[in-house]
């Protein structure tokens, strides 16, 4: 009698577990569907006031193998042509280093003239202060980031950019600075290595090895200027780098495009709405 | 002792299979299924309507929150998408598919909300 009761309760317990599992299986479902989606991202900048864009030119340097100014102007124009609603103005890329040097020279000369006039009235201490106020010289060759910094005042020269805007009928102006410089690095890196055990079974294990690597760093700063007023609307700075095995020889131009590929979506996202394609999983 | 365990198990099964639980879930599931079918045909707004109903009927239905998040993402409603993903993960924190969707979403969301420097 007791044994029969025990068997009955065991059967009941198993039945209950099976029922609970069935309910859970139904509840949890398990079907999944991979679907393509396109996420719209609004432009960060309101450029509705402009129909045209002038990619003017860049203060660029860091590498002698490549004309970074020309390449950047060309690339951004072609991207804007195909991926934004703004009409791209075709014009020669401006050599802004020369423009900045000229402006600096003119500013220094007018400063010197002003000093000559007031020198008669100044005591020695004031003369020193006056000399310090003169615009500092701009580096002729751009080798590193700090060489670019003095050029920033060119982008703040509203009178100059207003004049450029008038010349091209008040477009949105894209300018800025670009550093594209070689970079080397040495240190331990983690790599995946294939290993085989005594039975010939293959597995992949992470191993740390000392490596010398070389590559490039790309640091653009895009400045967006209202061509009607010459004032800066916004700016966007990015930094990307790529490193290869030291024995590998990669042309500067292909590294430049590889790095620009990572940066261009952000640049375009500032000026125009984007749709980012991807896939997601729907569940039932 | 064994009898007590059996009784507890039976009670749990009965609760899980209770009409109220099963009705809410099955009603929500039919909304989710319908939503998936229309989403696969590109009718995302209709899908959103269905999945919103599903989570209203059964707020513990992680799949419904996940699907709703995907649809919000597709419509560019990123704040709503994030909340729906978070809710889905709150219900099922170890669901690999939801987590994968959420990680992909975060990448896009970070890019969209990146401040100009």
């Amino acid at each position: 009698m007791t044994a029969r009761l025990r068997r009955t309760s065991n059967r009941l317990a198993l039945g209950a577990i099976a029922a609970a599992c069935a309910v859970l299986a139904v509840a949890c479902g398990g079907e999944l569907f991979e679907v393509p989606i396109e996420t719209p991202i609004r432009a960060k900048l309101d450029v509705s006031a402009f129909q045209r864009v002038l990619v003017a030119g860049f203060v660029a340097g860091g590498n002698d193998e490549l004309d970074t100014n020309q390449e950047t102007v060309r690339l951004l124009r072609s991207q804007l042509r195909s991926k934004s609603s703004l009409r791209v103005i075709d014009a020669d890329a401006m050599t802004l280093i020369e423009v900045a040097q000229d402006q600096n020279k003119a500013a220094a000369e007018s400063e010197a003239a002003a000093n000559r006039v007031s020198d008669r009235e100044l005591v020695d201490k004031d003369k020193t202060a006056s000399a310090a106020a003169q615009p500092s010289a701009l580096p002729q060759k751009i080798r590193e980031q700090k060489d670019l910094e003095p050029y920033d005042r060119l982008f703040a020269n509203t009178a100059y950019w207003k004049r450029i805007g008038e010349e091209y009928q008040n477009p949105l102006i894209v300018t800025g600075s670009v550093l594209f410089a070689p970079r080397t690095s040495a240190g331990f890196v983690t790599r995946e290595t294939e290993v085989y055990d005594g039975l010939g079974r293959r597995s992949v294990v992470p191993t740390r090895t000392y490596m010398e690597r070389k590559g490039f760093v790309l640091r653009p700063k895009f400045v967006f200027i209202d061509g009607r007023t010459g004032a800066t609307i916004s700016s966007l700075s990015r930094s990307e780098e790529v490193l290869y095995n030291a024995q590998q020889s990669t042309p500067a131009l292909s590294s430049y495009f590889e790095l620009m590929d990572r940066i261009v979506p952000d640049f375009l996202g500032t000026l125009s709405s984007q749709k980012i394609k991807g896939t997601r999983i729907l569940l039932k | 002792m064994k009898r007590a365990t059996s009784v507890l198990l039976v009670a749990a099964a009965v609760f899980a299979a209770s009409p109220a639980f099963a009705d809410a879930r099955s009603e929500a599931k039919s909304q989710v299924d319908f939503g998936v079918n229309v989403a696969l045909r590109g009718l995302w707004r209709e899908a959103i309507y269905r999945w919103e109903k599903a989570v209203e009927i059964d707020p513990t239905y992680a799949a419904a929150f996940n699907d709703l998040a995907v649809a919000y993402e597709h419509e560019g409603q990123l704040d709503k998408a994030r909340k729906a993903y978070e809710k889905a993960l709150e219900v099922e924190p170890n669901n690999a598919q939801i987590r994968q969707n959420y990680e992909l979403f975060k990448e896009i969301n970070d890019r969209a909300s990146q401040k100009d420097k």
Side-chain angles (χ1 to χ4, degrees), chain B:
Chain B
M1 180 62 189
K2 274 189 179 171
R3 188 174 295 172
T5 313
S6 309
V7 169
L8 270 174
L9 280 167
V10 171
V14 167
F15 170 74
S18 69
F21 178 87
D23 278 359
R25 180 50 59 99
S26 73
E27 203 186 326
K29 191 175 180 333
S30 69
Q31 295 290 344
V32 166
D33 289 354
F34 193 92
V36 170
N37 290 337
V38 292
L40 290 173
R41 283 186 274 147
L43 304 169
W44 288 94
R45 295 226 172 127
E46 177 64 22
I48 286 179
Y49 172 74
R50 296 292 166 176
W51 292 328
E52 278 176 346
K53 270 179 96 167
V55 299
E56 204 181 299
I57 296 163
D58 185 354
T60 64
Y61 197 176
F65 278 110
N66 169 76
D67 296 352
L68 189 55
V70 172
Y72 282 145
E73 221 187 314
H74 187 271
E75 293 297 298
Q77 301 179 40
L78 302 186
D79 274 349
K80 283 184 170 181
R82 184 178 44 78
K83 280 177 194 154
Y85 276 129
E86 281 169 3
K87 186 74 191 164
L89 283 169
E90 194 183 303
V91 181
E92 278 185 29
N94 298 320
N95 188 312
Q97 276 92 32
I98 299 175
R99 193 152 289 280
Q100 185 189 324
N101 280 345
Y102 186 48
E103 292 302 322
L104 291 168
F105 160 77
K106 277 202 295 191
E107 242 174 68
I108 288 178
N109 193 43
D110 289 351
R111 220 161 99 181
S113 57
Q114 216 160 37
K115 295 274 177 275
D116 294 346
K117 285 180 187 170

Side-chain angles (χ1 to χ4, degrees), chain A residues 41-240:
Chain A
I41 307 284
R42 269 195 302 272
K44 288 183 198 121
L45 214 61
D46 179 14
V47 291
S48 55
F50 305 97
Q51 269 126 36
R52 306 183 324 136
V53 58
L54 171 71
V55 182
F58 296 87
V59 175
N63 190 297
D64 294 331
E65 286 176 57
L66 199 72
D67 186 342
T68 313
N69 178 27
Q70 286 285 353
E71 293 300 340
T72 307
V73 167
R74 208 176 300 160
L75 177 67
L76 296 184
R77 283 182 186 171
S78 89
Q79 290 290 322
L80 286 168
R81 257 185 219 112
S82 59
K83 289 174 186 147
S84 89
S85 55
L86 291 162
R87 264 185 37 227
V88 179
I89 297 172
D90 268 317
D92 289 339
M94 295 164 76
T95 45
L96 291 181
I97 290 186
E98 282 173 22
V99 173
Q101 300 276 3
D102 290 348
Q103 284 183 7
N104 204 48
K105 208 170 141 193
E109 277 168 10
S110 63
E111 194 72 38
N115 283 347
R116 271 197 300 275
V117 173
S118 57
D119 258 0
R120 286 161 222 139
E121 297 126 36
L122 288 174
V123 291
D124 282 350
K125 199 174 115 191
D126 291 336
K127 276 182 191 168
T128 321
S130 169
Q134 282 190 11
S136 57
L138 295 169
Q140 296 282 342
K141 268 273 189 220
I142 309 290
R143 288 272 159 233
E144 49 192 357
Q145 190 65 35
K146 72 173 173 52
D147 297 335
L148 284 172
E149 280 154 19
Y151 284 91
D152 274 353
R153 58 178 177 260
L154 170 68
F155 309 121
N157 186 344
T158 50
Y160 172 73
W161 291 110
K162 192 172 179 218
R163 207 170 64 239
I164 297 291
E166 279 164 7
E167 202 177 310
Y168 291 96
Q169 287 103 48
N170 305 329
L172 171 72
I173 299 171
V174 178
T175 180
S177 57
V178 184
L179 180 80
F180 178 63
R183 176 159 154 56
T184 52
S185 164
F188 283 95
V189 289
T190 306
R191 305 173 75 189
E192 305 222 305
T193 318
E194 281 184 347
V195 288
Y196 292 89
D197 66 9
L199 297 169
R201 285 176 301 199
R202 174 188 167 276
S203 61
V204 178
V205 291
T207 49
R208 281 174 62 75
T209 42
Y210 183 82
M211 268 183 80
E212 279 182 12
R213 297 187 298 164
K214 60 177 190 177
F216 292 93
V217 60
L218 179 64
R219 287 203 189 104
K221 178 187 177 186
F222 302 112
V223 179
F224 302 94
I225 292 173
D226 185 336
R228 297 165 301 182
T229 61
T232 298
I233 309 170
S234 176
S235 69
L236 173 77
S237 300
R238 288 287 176 270
S239 179
E240 290 285 343

